[in-house]
Amino acid sequence: MKKSIIVSTLILSSSLTFAFDLSAIAKNVVENVTKEQTTTQETSTSNLSDTTVSNGLKEALKTGVNYAVTQLGSNNGYLNNTAVKIPLPDNLAKAETLIRSIGGDKMADNLINSMNTAASKAAPKTAEVFVEAIDKMTLTDAQAILSGGNDAATNYFKANTSDSLKKLITPIIQETMKENQVASYYDTANNLYKSNVKGLVDNSGVMGLAKNFGVDSFIPGSSDESLDEYITTKAIDGLFTMIGQKEAAIRANPLEQTSSILKEVFGK
């Protein structure tokens, strides 16, 4: 009986030892394979020339620009895209509920539609500005963007295209918004409010009366930014957003790497 127990114990002990050894071996194998894969990946990446890396990034950004311009320049490109849709300006947005509650739906919708339509009309004209900025990109710029976060390209574009985009887009926005009577009312009212009316309203007690009725928060204030400036800024922000989305997709999704150089640079 004792002999049997001893034998069983030895067998169990041997089995456990073997199991532990097998576990250790498996762990070592996994670690070695991981190291080899990492080394292979690093070697493969380091084998890419600086020119290849730079060209790959530039193609990715041009793909992003083409995507943004095509999407946002289409009919209702801004309006139907929740990520970039241009809302009413802040100083009018807080009055939107009140405006709609007294039958002003058509006026509010008209202004929102016009702002987004103006941005969509301007979008196709911006491609040249972006492409020029990409072509001027240095190797240092490209490396910083490639190793940076998903907003690295957006930050580069903000620094290198914002002024040119404003000069290009503003006249298109102004021309388009001339057709909208509500927009002209907005600018006229806003300018009057900033110059004279605000003081009269405060002195006459109308603001106090509004507070008594609990609607003072709905009274729009003035803004130093004209409606054209507001739309231009939002239109540019929307372009940056869409380019950034496409760049992030190319970085993360092999299916978005649609050319050999994109696969070579981002597939690593």
Side-chain angles (χ1 to χ4, degrees), residues 244-260:
Q245 285 182 1
K246 193 64 174 178
E247 184 203 357
I250 290 172
R251 286 176 184 263
N253 186 356
L255 294 178
E256 295 284 349
Q257 297 158 14
T258 53
S259 70
S260 58

Side-chain angles (χ1 to χ4, degrees), residues 44-56 139 143 264-265:
S44 180
T45 302
S46 64
N47 284 339
L48 295 178
S49 69
D50 289 340
T51 302
T52 299
V53 171
S54 178
N55 288 342
L139 179 60
Q143 289 172 333
E264 191 175 6
V265 174

Side-chain angles (χ1 to χ4, degrees), residues 105-119:
D105 282 341
K106 185 176 180 181
M107 184 185 79
D109 289 340
N110 180 282
L111 182 53
I112 291 172
N113 291 343
S114 295
M115 291 190 301
N116 284 275
T117 296

Side-chain angles (χ1 to χ4, degrees), residues 1-34:
M1 181 71 178
K2 288 182 179 179
K3 188 175 182 180
S4 175
I5 293 173
I6 291 171
V7 171
S8 298
T9 302
L10 288 172
I11 292 173
L12 177 61
S13 175
S14 176
S15 299
L16 289 173
T17 301
F18 177 74
F20 289 143
D21 286 344
L22 189 60
S23 174
I25 291 170
K27 183 180 179 182
N28 287 334
V29 169
V30 170
E31 288 177 350
N32 288 334
V33 169
T34 302

Side-chain angles (χ1 to χ4, degrees), residues 119-223:
S120 286
K121 282 186 177 181
K125 308 290 185 181
T126 64
E128 187 176 341
V129 173
F130 284 113
V131 171
E132 184 178 351
I134 293 170
D135 288 339
K136 289 181 178 178
M137 186 180 294
T138 66
L139 179 60
T140 301
D141 293 329
Q143 289 172 333
I145 293 172
L146 193 62
S147 61
N150 287 339
D151 61 347
T154 302
N155 292 334
Y156 172 82
F157 280 135
K158 282 182 178 179
N160 292 276
T161 66
S162 291
D163 291 342
S164 297
L165 288 172
K166 284 179 183 177
K167 289 178 183 177
L168 178 68
I169 290 178
T170 298
I172 301 172
I173 299 293
Q174 290 173 334
E175 186 62 31
T176 305
M177 295 306 291
K178 278 181 183 178
E179 304 167 7
N180 187 289
Q181 206 169 21
V182 175
S184 64
Y185 291 159
Y186 170 87
D187 275 335
T188 300
N190 193 51
N191 290 333
L192 278 173
Y193 188 93
K194 284 193 293 184
S195 58
N196 298 309
V197 177
K198 185 177 183 299
L200 294 174
V201 168
D202 289 341
N203 294 334
S204 67
V206 174
M207 185 65 77
L209 187 63
K211 288 182 179 178
N212 290 336
F213 281 97
V215 296
D216 56 302
S217 63
F218 292 109
I219 297 177
S222 65
S223 171

